[in-house]
Amino acid sequence: MDALARAALAADDRILATIDRLGPAAADSTAADAATRAYLTLLDLADRAGIAEDLDICLRLPAIGREIPHDGEKRARDNAAEICARARAVGATVTLATDGDIDDPASVDEVLAALADLRRAAPTTGVTLRADLRRTPADCRELARSGARVRLRLRPGWHLVRRSVATADPAFHDQRRGFAACLGILMAGPGYPMIATQDPRLMALTTRLAARAGRHPDSFEFQTVRGTPRREHRRLAATGYRARIYVSYRR
């Protein structure tokens, strides 16, 4: 599997990896079960390859049944619990994805409810939050208090916009301010922040806030999105920070 090969190459440079399995929402139980087996197989293969320790899996609840009528939410949680248990057994972690490009409180509530349920048996289960949503600062405060792993990111697609274009857009600066506010909340709490940005100013702010909070370099991590140069990963890892690349594959 190419995603595992890329994760193995990153591990050689002491860089961590998140693997994201892309695909449609499961329309029925057969598809949900197949997706669940795929996640379990991925973890087993990573374990056999010796790279499961500290590997992170991005888990999309719709892929394992959340959208199935009638019992989708329960089915997805049961499948997620099995995946989280397997991840914990091999030394990996799971981070729940929050999908969609709109501020959908009900959807985010479902993911956060699933997170709370899963963390009872697998405390290292984390979640992705978008810094541009109105509700995110409050969600960050609650999750920081609980000691959760939180992946903080900007609105999907911003990393694909040329910097000269993005910086001329007032929305970009609004997002950066929102990200900085959420970052401050997470870094001040006892949780494990995962900072998903390639913006040099936000990365520098992360290190300043960590120093101010007395955080050890292994108490948070930098995560990257598509397009970040690998020399930046190596630089962060060489200076003692935990750096993680994002690797995706489509089923």
Side-chain angles (χ1 to χ4, degrees):
M1 184 183 295
D2 182 57
L4 284 176
R6 291 170 63 191
L9 286 173
D12 289 341
D13 290 330
R14 297 185 179 180
I15 297 167
L16 308 174
T18 286
I19 297 183
D20 187 2
R21 178 183 181 274
L22 305 177
D28 53 39
S29 60
T30 299
D33 291 344
T36 301
R37 288 194 300 272
Y39 280 112
L40 296 173
T41 298
L42 173 63
L43 288 164
D44 288 342
L45 290 173
D47 188 37
R48 292 173 197 167
I51 60 170
E53 187 73 26
D54 281 332
L55 181 70
D56 186 58
I57 302 298
C58 179
L59 180 58
R60 300 177 180 276
L61 296 179
I64 56 173
R66 193 181 72 184
E67 307 300 323
I68 297 174
H70 307 304
D71 67 341
E73 186 174 345
K74 181 181 184 304
R75 183 181 296 276
R77 288 200 192 187
D78 289 345
N79 288 337
E82 184 177 4
I83 294 166
C84 288
R86 184 71 57 86
R88 190 178 187 190
V90 301
T93 56
V94 173
T95 301
L96 302 183
T98 44
D99 296 307
D101 293 333
I102 59 173
D103 189 348
D104 180 1
S107 177
V108 178
D109 283 341
E110 286 182 16
V111 175
L112 293 181
L115 174 71
D117 188 38
L118 293 167
R119 288 189 67 218
R120 293 187 183 98
T124 59
T125 305
V127 68
T128 300
L129 295 181
R130 280 178 44 192
D132 62 305
L133 300 187
R134 292 186 296 273
R135 62 174 293 159
T136 301
D139 289 334
C140 284
R141 291 187 191 95
E142 183 63 29
L143 291 168
R145 280 194 293 266
S146 73
R149 293 172 59 253
V150 178
R151 180 178 187 258
L152 184 67
R153 63 169 299 180
L154 293 170
R155 191 175 72 200
W158 272 104
H159 65 284
L160 299 175
V161 180
R162 284 189 307 169
R163 184 167 182 80
S164 60
V165 175
T167 53
D169 187 340
F172 173 79
H173 298 286
D174 289 341
Q175 282 212 48
R176 179 186 276 165
R177 283 190 290 269
F179 192 103
C182 292
L183 176 58
I185 294 168
L186 293 174
M187 295 299 274
Y192 184 82
M194 300 177 284
I195 312 307
T197 182
Q198 61 193 45
D199 186 312
R201 292 187 181 181
L202 292 176
M203 294 173 74
L205 176 61
T206 299
T207 58
R208 291 198 301 272
L209 290 173
R212 188 180 305 167
R215 278 184 168 271
H216 193 273
D218 66 1
S219 69
F220 65 99
E221 67 183 48
F222 290 97
Q223 293 193 357
T224 60
V225 290
R226 289 176 286 273
T228 305
R230 285 197 58 186
R231 63 177 177 271
E232 182 66 8
H233 310 156
R234 295 192 186 98
R235 184 190 70 78
L236 289 166
T239 53
Y241 292 107
R242 288 169 64 86
R244 187 181 300 273
I245 63 168
Y246 171 91
V247 179
S248 64
Y249 76 99
R250 194 171 295 275
R251 70 169 183 82

